[in-house]
PDB file of all heavy atoms in Angstrom:
ATOM      1  N   PRO A 243     -43.154 -40.986 -88.785  1.00  0.00           N
ATOM      2  CA  PRO A 243     -43.882 -42.033 -89.520  1.00  0.00           C
ATOM      3  C   PRO A 243     -44.344 -43.168 -88.608  1.00  0.00           C
ATOM      4  O   PRO A 243     -43.633 -43.585 -87.677  1.00  0.00           O
ATOM      5  CB  PRO A 243     -42.857 -42.527 -90.545  1.00  0.00           C
ATOM      6  CG  PRO A 243     -41.893 -41.404 -90.704  1.00  0.00           C
ATOM      7  CD  PRO A 243     -41.803 -40.757 -89.360  1.00  0.00           C
ATOM      8  N   PHE A 244     -45.525 -43.692 -88.890  1.00  0.00           N
ATOM      9  CA  PHE A 244     -46.120 -44.783 -88.111  1.00  0.00           C
ATOM     10  C   PHE A 244     -45.225 -46.024 -88.094  1.00  0.00           C
ATOM     11  O   PHE A 244     -45.184 -46.753 -87.091  1.00  0.00           O
ATOM     12  CB  PHE A 244     -47.492 -45.137 -88.706  1.00  0.00           C
ATOM     13  CG  PHE A 244     -48.139 -46.327 -88.059  1.00  0.00           C
ATOM     14  CD1 PHE A 244     -48.663 -46.254 -86.775  1.00  0.00           C
ATOM     15  CD2 PHE A 244     -48.232 -47.538 -88.744  1.00  0.00           C
ATOM     16  CE1 PHE A 244     -49.266 -47.358 -86.187  1.00  0.00           C
ATOM     17  CE2 PHE A 244     -48.838 -48.635 -88.156  1.00  0.00           C
ATOM     18  CZ  PHE A 244     -49.356 -48.550 -86.877  1.00  0.00           C
ATOM     19  N   ILE A 245     -44.479 -46.250 -89.173  1.00  0.00           N
ATOM     20  CA  ILE A 245     -43.652 -47.448 -89.270  1.00  0.00           C
ATOM     21  C   ILE A 245     -42.635 -47.524 -88.136  1.00  0.00           C
ATOM     22  O   ILE A 245     -42.234 -48.614 -87.711  1.00  0.00           O
ATOM     23  CB  ILE A 245     -42.931 -47.521 -90.650  1.00  0.00           C
ATOM     24  CG1 ILE A 245     -42.218 -48.854 -90.817  1.00  0.00           C
ATOM     25  CG2 ILE A 245     -41.967 -46.360 -90.813  1.00  0.00           C
ATOM     26  CD1 ILE A 245     -43.114 -50.060 -90.811  1.00  0.00           C
ATOM     27  N   LEU A 246     -42.229 -46.364 -87.603  1.00  0.00           N
ATOM     28  CA  LEU A 246     -41.260 -46.362 -86.506  1.00  0.00           C
ATOM     29  C   LEU A 246     -41.872 -46.965 -85.242  1.00  0.00           C
ATOM     30  O   LEU A 246     -41.202 -47.679 -84.490  1.00  0.00           O
ATOM     31  CB  LEU A 246     -40.761 -44.945 -86.240  1.00  0.00           C
ATOM     32  CG  LEU A 246     -40.052 -44.241 -87.409  1.00  0.00           C
ATOM     33  CD1 LEU A 246     -39.586 -42.856 -86.992  1.00  0.00           C
ATOM     34  CD2 LEU A 246     -38.878 -45.076 -87.905  1.00  0.00           C
ATOM     35  N   ALA A 247     -43.152 -46.682 -85.010  1.00  0.00           N
ATOM     36  CA  ALA A 247     -43.838 -47.301 -83.870  1.00  0.00           C
ATOM     37  C   ALA A 247     -43.980 -48.808 -84.082  1.00  0.00           C
ATOM     38  O   ALA A 247     -43.813 -49.603 -83.144  1.00  0.00           O
ATOM     39  CB  ALA A 247     -45.210 -46.659 -83.673  1.00  0.00           C
ATOM     40  N   GLU A 248     -44.285 -49.206 -85.311  1.00  0.00           N
ATOM     41  CA  GLU A 248     -44.384 -50.632 -85.631  1.00  0.00           C
ATOM     42  C   GLU A 248     -43.061 -51.348 -85.385  1.00  0.00           C
ATOM     43  O   GLU A 248     -43.041 -52.463 -84.855  1.00  0.00           O
ATOM     44  CB  GLU A 248     -44.805 -50.803 -87.096  1.00  0.00           C
ATOM     45  CG  GLU A 248     -46.291 -50.606 -87.337  1.00  0.00           C
ATOM     46  CD  GLU A 248     -47.101 -51.844 -86.953  1.00  0.00           C
ATOM     47  OE1 GLU A 248     -46.507 -52.842 -86.532  1.00  0.00           O
ATOM     48  OE2 GLU A 248     -48.338 -51.804 -87.090  1.00  0.00           O
ATOM     49  N   ARG A 249     -41.976 -50.709 -85.763  1.00  0.00           N
ATOM     50  CA  ARG A 249     -40.656 -51.326 -85.569  1.00  0.00           C
ATOM     51  C   ARG A 249     -40.317 -51.462 -84.084  1.00  0.00           C
ATOM     52  O   ARG A 249     -39.744 -52.471 -83.659  1.00  0.00           O
ATOM     53  CB  ARG A 249     -39.593 -50.517 -86.312  1.00  0.00           C
ATOM     54  CG  ARG A 249     -39.677 -50.679 -87.838  1.00  0.00           C
ATOM     55  CD  ARG A 249     -38.847 -49.638 -88.563  1.00  0.00           C
ATOM     56  NE  ARG A 249     -37.425 -49.708 -88.225  1.00  0.00           N
ATOM     57  CZ  ARG A 249     -36.507 -48.840 -88.681  1.00  0.00           C
ATOM     58  NH1 ARG A 249     -36.886 -47.840 -89.478  1.00  0.00           N
ATOM     59  NH2 ARG A 249     -35.240 -48.983 -88.343  1.00  0.00           N
ATOM     60  N   MET A 250     -40.669 -50.465 -83.278  1.00  0.00           N
ATOM     61  CA  MET A 250     -40.473 -50.573 -81.829  1.00  0.00           C
ATOM     62  C   MET A 250     -41.287 -51.733 -81.270  1.00  0.00           C
ATOM     63  O   MET A 250     -40.789 -52.548 -80.481  1.00  0.00           O
ATOM     64  CB  MET A 250     -40.886 -49.278 -81.123  1.00  0.00           C
ATOM     65  CG  MET A 250     -39.878 -48.162 -81.176  1.00  0.00           C
ATOM     66  SD  MET A 250     -40.337 -46.784 -80.073  1.00  0.00           S
ATOM     67  CE  MET A 250     -41.550 -45.920 -81.067  1.00  0.00           C
ATOM     68  N   LYS A 251     -42.534 -51.795 -81.685  1.00  0.00           N
ATOM     69  CA  LYS A 251     -43.436 -52.849 -81.225  1.00  0.00           C
ATOM     70  C   LYS A 251     -42.895 -54.230 -81.574  1.00  0.00           C
ATOM     71  O   LYS A 251     -42.844 -55.134 -80.716  1.00  0.00           O
ATOM     72  CB  LYS A 251     -44.806 -52.643 -81.863  1.00  0.00           C
ATOM     73  CG  LYS A 251     -45.737 -53.834 -81.784  1.00  0.00           C
ATOM     74  CD  LYS A 251     -46.957 -53.623 -82.665  1.00  0.00           C
ATOM     75  CE  LYS A 251     -47.698 -54.929 -82.901  1.00  0.00           C
ATOM     76  NZ  LYS A 251     -48.877 -54.743 -83.781  1.00  0.00           N
ATOM     77  N   ASN A 252     -42.484 -54.424 -82.827  1.00  0.00           N
ATOM     78  CA  ASN A 252     -42.021 -55.737 -83.266  1.00  0.00           C
ATOM     79  C   ASN A 252     -40.744 -56.158 -82.551  1.00  0.00           C
ATOM     80  O   ASN A 252     -40.561 -57.329 -82.215  1.00  0.00           O
ATOM     81  CB  ASN A 252     -41.820 -55.733 -84.784  1.00  0.00           C
ATOM     82  CG  ASN A 252     -43.132 -55.596 -85.539  1.00  0.00           C
ATOM     83  OD1 ASN A 252     -44.194 -55.914 -85.015  1.00  0.00           O
ATOM     84  ND2 ASN A 252     -43.066 -55.108 -86.773  1.00  0.00           N
ATOM     85  N   ALA A 253     -39.856 -55.193 -82.328  1.00  0.00           N
ATOM     86  CA  ALA A 253     -38.609 -55.511 -81.622  1.00  0.00           C
ATOM     87  C   ALA A 253     -38.886 -55.903 -80.171  1.00  0.00           C
ATOM     88  O   ALA A 253     -38.283 -56.852 -79.642  1.00  0.00           O
ATOM     89  CB  ALA A 253     -37.664 -54.310 -81.676  1.00  0.00           C
ATOM     90  N   ALA A 254     -39.788 -55.180 -79.530  1.00  0.00           N
ATOM     91  CA  ALA A 254     -40.134 -55.508 -78.139  1.00  0.00           C
ATOM     92  C   ALA A 254     -40.749 -56.897 -78.054  1.00  0.00           C
ATOM     93  O   ALA A 254     -40.402 -57.697 -77.171  1.00  0.00           O
ATOM     94  CB  ALA A 254     -41.101 -54.466 -77.586  1.00  0.00           C
ATOM     95  N   ARG A 255     -41.638 -57.207 -78.975  1.00  0.00           N
ATOM     96  CA  ARG A 255     -42.285 -58.518 -78.982  1.00  0.00           C
ATOM     97  C   ARG A 255     -41.253 -59.629 -79.175  1.00  0.00           C
ATOM     98  O   ARG A 255     -41.288 -60.652 -78.480  1.00  0.00           O
ATOM     99  CB  ARG A 255     -43.329 -58.577 -80.092  1.00  0.00           C
ATOM    100  CG  ARG A 255     -44.047 -59.917 -80.193  1.00  0.00           C
ATOM    101  CD  ARG A 255     -45.093 -59.921 -81.300  1.00  0.00           C
ATOM    102  NE  ARG A 255     -45.677 -61.251 -81.466  1.00  0.00           N
ATOM    103  CZ  ARG A 255     -46.660 -61.735 -80.748  1.00  0.00           C
ATOM    104  NH1 ARG A 255     -47.196 -60.981 -79.799  1.00  0.00           N
ATOM    105  NH2 ARG A 255     -47.130 -62.951 -80.955  1.00  0.00           N
ATOM    106  N   ALA A 256     -40.313 -59.423 -80.098  1.00  0.00           N
ATOM    107  CA  ALA A 256     -39.290 -60.435 -80.361  1.00  0.00           C
ATOM    108  C   ALA A 256     -38.426 -60.679 -79.130  1.00  0.00           C
ATOM    109  O   ALA A 256     -38.077 -61.823 -78.797  1.00  0.00           O
ATOM    110  CB  ALA A 256     -38.433 -60.010 -81.546  1.00  0.00           C
ATOM    111  N   THR A 257     -38.078 -59.613 -78.416  1.00  0.00           N
ATOM    112  CA  THR A 257     -37.251 -59.749 -77.211  1.00  0.00           C
ATOM    113  C   THR A 257     -38.011 -60.466 -76.108  1.00  0.00           C
ATOM    114  O   THR A 257     -37.455 -61.301 -75.386  1.00  0.00           O
ATOM    115  CB  THR A 257     -36.789 -58.363 -76.729  1.00  0.00           C
ATOM    116  OG1 THR A 257     -36.030 -57.730 -77.768  1.00  0.00           O
ATOM    117  CG2 THR A 257     -35.911 -58.481 -75.494  1.00  0.00           C
ATOM    118  N   LEU A 258     -39.286 -60.164 -75.957  1.00  0.00           N
ATOM    119  CA  LEU A 258     -40.099 -60.852 -74.946  1.00  0.00           C
ATOM    120  C   LEU A 258     -40.232 -62.344 -75.255  1.00  0.00           C
ATOM    121  O   LEU A 258     -40.119 -63.189 -74.360  1.00  0.00           O
ATOM    122  CB  LEU A 258     -41.487 -60.215 -74.864  1.00  0.00           C
ATOM    123  CG  LEU A 258     -41.549 -58.794 -74.302  1.00  0.00           C
ATOM    124  CD1 LEU A 258     -42.959 -58.222 -74.441  1.00  0.00           C
ATOM    125  CD2 LEU A 258     -41.113 -58.758 -72.840  1.00  0.00           C
ATOM    126  N   LEU A 259     -40.446 -62.661 -76.525  1.00  0.00           N
ATOM    127  CA  LEU A 259     -40.545 -64.066 -76.920  1.00  0.00           C
ATOM    128  C   LEU A 259     -39.230 -64.793 -76.649  1.00  0.00           C
ATOM    129  O   LEU A 259     -39.224 -65.927 -76.147  1.00  0.00           O
ATOM    130  CB  LEU A 259     -40.903 -64.170 -78.395  1.00  0.00           C
ATOM    131  CG  LEU A 259     -42.329 -63.732 -78.779  1.00  0.00           C
ATOM    132  CD1 LEU A 259     -42.486 -63.709 -80.294  1.00  0.00           C
ATOM    133  CD2 LEU A 259     -43.369 -64.655 -78.144  1.00  0.00           C
ATOM    134  N   ALA A 260     -38.118 -64.141 -76.974  1.00  0.00           N
ATOM    135  CA  ALA A 260     -36.803 -64.743 -76.718  1.00  0.00           C
ATOM    136  C   ALA A 260     -36.563 -64.920 -75.225  1.00  0.00           C
ATOM    137  O   ALA A 260     -35.794 -65.799 -74.806  1.00  0.00           O
ATOM    138  CB  ALA A 260     -35.700 -63.863 -77.325  1.00  0.00           C
ATOM    139  N   GLY A 261     -37.229 -64.095 -74.413  1.00  0.00           N
ATOM    140  CA  GLY A 261     -37.090 -64.200 -72.958  1.00  0.00           C
ATOM    141  C   GLY A 261     -38.021 -65.207 -72.330  1.00  0.00           C
ATOM    142  O   GLY A 261     -38.066 -65.326 -71.101  1.00  0.00           O
ATOM    143  N   GLY A 262     -38.777 -65.933 -73.159  1.00  0.00           N
ATOM    144  CA  GLY A 262     -39.614 -67.003 -72.643  1.00  0.00           C
ATOM    145  C   GLY A 262     -41.064 -66.648 -72.405  1.00  0.00           C
ATOM    146  O   GLY A 262     -41.823 -67.462 -71.850  1.00  0.00           O
ATOM    147  N   VAL A 263     -41.488 -65.456 -72.836  1.00  0.00           N
ATOM    148  CA  VAL A 263     -42.885 -65.062 -72.647  1.00  0.00           C
ATOM    149  C   VAL A 263     -43.745 -65.736 -73.723  1.00  0.00           C
ATOM    150  O   VAL A 263     -43.387 -65.759 -74.900  1.00  0.00           O
ATOM    151  CB  VAL A 263     -43.044 -63.531 -72.727  1.00  0.00           C
ATOM    152  CG1 VAL A 263     -44.507 -63.127 -72.575  1.00  0.00           C
ATOM    153  CG2 VAL A 263     -42.187 -62.848 -71.655  1.00  0.00           C
ATOM    154  N   SER A 264     -44.886 -66.258 -73.318  1.00  0.00           N
ATOM    155  CA  SER A 264     -45.787 -66.900 -74.267  1.00  0.00           C
ATOM    156  C   SER A 264     -46.362 -65.874 -75.233  1.00  0.00           C
ATOM    157  O   SER A 264     -46.751 -64.776 -74.819  1.00  0.00           O
ATOM    158  CB  SER A 264     -46.934 -67.584 -73.514  1.00  0.00           C
ATOM    159  OG  SER A 264     -47.963 -67.980 -74.410  1.00  0.00           O
ATOM    160  N   PRO A 265     -46.425 -66.196 -76.529  1.00  0.00           N
ATOM    161  CA  PRO A 265     -46.981 -65.237 -77.495  1.00  0.00           C
ATOM    162  C   PRO A 265     -48.425 -64.862 -77.197  1.00  0.00           C
ATOM    163  O   PRO A 265     -48.864 -63.756 -77.529  1.00  0.00           O
ATOM    164  CB  PRO A 265     -46.859 -65.974 -78.836  1.00  0.00           C
ATOM    165  CG  PRO A 265     -46.656 -67.413 -78.493  1.00  0.00           C
ATOM    166  CD  PRO A 265     -45.964 -67.438 -77.187  1.00  0.00           C
ATOM    167  N   THR A 266     -49.180 -65.744 -76.572  1.00  0.00           N
ATOM    168  CA  THR A 266     -50.582 -65.437 -76.258  1.00  0.00           C
ATOM    169  C   THR A 266     -50.727 -64.441 -75.113  1.00  0.00           C
ATOM    170  O   THR A 266     -51.809 -63.898 -74.889  1.00  0.00           O
ATOM    171  CB  THR A 266     -51.348 -66.719 -75.897  1.00  0.00           C
ATOM    172  OG1 THR A 266     -50.720 -67.336 -74.758  1.00  0.00           O
ATOM    173  CG2 THR A 266     -51.338 -67.696 -77.055  1.00  0.00           C
ATOM    174  N   ALA A 267     -49.613 -64.187 -74.379  1.00  0.00           N
ATOM    175  CA  ALA A 267     -49.653 -63.257 -73.248  1.00  0.00           C
ATOM    176  C   ALA A 267     -49.205 -61.852 -73.632  1.00  0.00           C
ATOM    177  O   ALA A 267     -49.157 -60.958 -72.777  1.00  0.00           O
ATOM    178  CB  ALA A 267     -48.767 -63.778 -72.112  1.00  0.00           C
ATOM    179  N   ILE A 268     -48.845 -61.642 -74.896  1.00  0.00           N
ATOM    180  CA  ILE A 268     -48.301 -60.354 -75.336  1.00  0.00           C
ATOM    181  C   ILE A 268     -49.327 -59.594 -76.161  1.00  0.00           C
ATOM    182  O   ILE A 268     -49.839 -60.109 -77.160  1.00  0.00           O
ATOM    183  CB  ILE A 268     -47.011 -60.559 -76.164  1.00  0.00           C
ATOM    184  CG1 ILE A 268     -45.965 -61.331 -75.358  1.00  0.00           C
ATOM    185  CG2 ILE A 268     -46.442 -59.207 -76.606  1.00  0.00           C
ATOM    186  CD1 ILE A 268     -44.745 -61.718 -76.168  1.00  0.00           C
ATOM    187  N   ARG A 269     -49.618 -58.371 -75.755  1.00  0.00           N
ATOM    188  CA  ARG A 269     -50.523 -57.507 -76.508  1.00  0.00           C
ATOM    189  C   ARG A 269     -49.931 -56.102 -76.558  1.00  0.00           C
ATOM    190  O   ARG A 269     -50.063 -55.321 -75.602  1.00  0.00           O
ATOM    191  CB  ARG A 269     -51.909 -57.463 -75.860  1.00  0.00           C
ATOM    192  CG  ARG A 269     -52.618 -58.809 -75.819  1.00  0.00           C
ATOM    193  CD  ARG A 269     -53.959 -58.714 -75.126  1.00  0.00           C
ATOM    194  NE  ARG A 269     -54.516 -60.024 -74.842  1.00  0.00           N
ATOM    195  CZ  ARG A 269     -55.594 -60.228 -74.096  1.00  0.00           C
ATOM    196  NH1 ARG A 269     -56.237 -59.186 -73.577  1.00  0.00           N
ATOM    197  NH2 ARG A 269     -56.044 -61.440 -73.877  1.00  0.00           N
ATOM    198  N   ILE A 270     -49.259 -55.784 -77.636  1.00  0.00           N
ATOM    199  CA  ILE A 270     -48.622 -54.478 -77.811  1.00  0.00           C
ATOM    200  C   ILE A 270     -49.229 -53.791 -79.026  1.00  0.00           C
ATOM    201  O   ILE A 270     -49.319 -54.391 -80.097  1.00  0.00           O
ATOM    202  CB  ILE A 270     -47.092 -54.613 -77.995  1.00  0.00           C
ATOM    203  CG1 ILE A 270     -46.475 -55.468 -76.883  1.00  0.00           C
ATOM    204  CG2 ILE A 270     -46.437 -53.232 -78.011  1.00  0.00           C
ATOM    205  CD1 ILE A 270     -45.013 -55.787 -77.089  1.00  0.00           C
ATOM    206  N   ASN A 271     -49.619 -52.541 -78.866  1.00  0.00           N
ATOM    207  CA  ASN A 271     -50.172 -51.763 -79.959  1.00  0.00           C
ATOM    208  C   ASN A 271     -49.164 -50.738 -80.450  1.00  0.00           C
ATOM    209  O   ASN A 271     -48.302 -50.284 -79.688  1.00  0.00           O
ATOM    210  CB  ASN A 271     -51.441 -51.030 -79.512  1.00  0.00           C
ATOM    211  CG  ASN A 271     -52.553 -51.978 -79.119  1.00  0.00           C
ATOM    212  OD1 ASN A 271     -52.738 -53.015 -79.762  1.00  0.00           O
ATOM    213  ND2 ASN A 271     -53.282 -51.645 -78.066  1.00  0.00           N
TER     214      ASN A 271
END
C-alpha cells in the first residue's frame, strides 16, 4: 500500500527536522 511509503517519508522528515534541518531544505517524495 502507498500509505507505507507515506509513513516512511513522514518519519524521515520528522527526524531531519529534529536534527536541525530547515523544513525548506527537505524534499522527499
Side-chain angles (χ1 to χ4, degrees):
F244 175 72
I245 187 62
L246 300 181
E248 281 281 359
R249 288 167 60 184
M250 280 190 280
K251 164 191 164 181
N252 293 337
R255 179 179 175 83
T257 301
L258 292 173
L259 290 172
V263 178
S264 168
T266 59
I268 303 173
R269 298 178 192 171
I270 308 173
N271 297 321

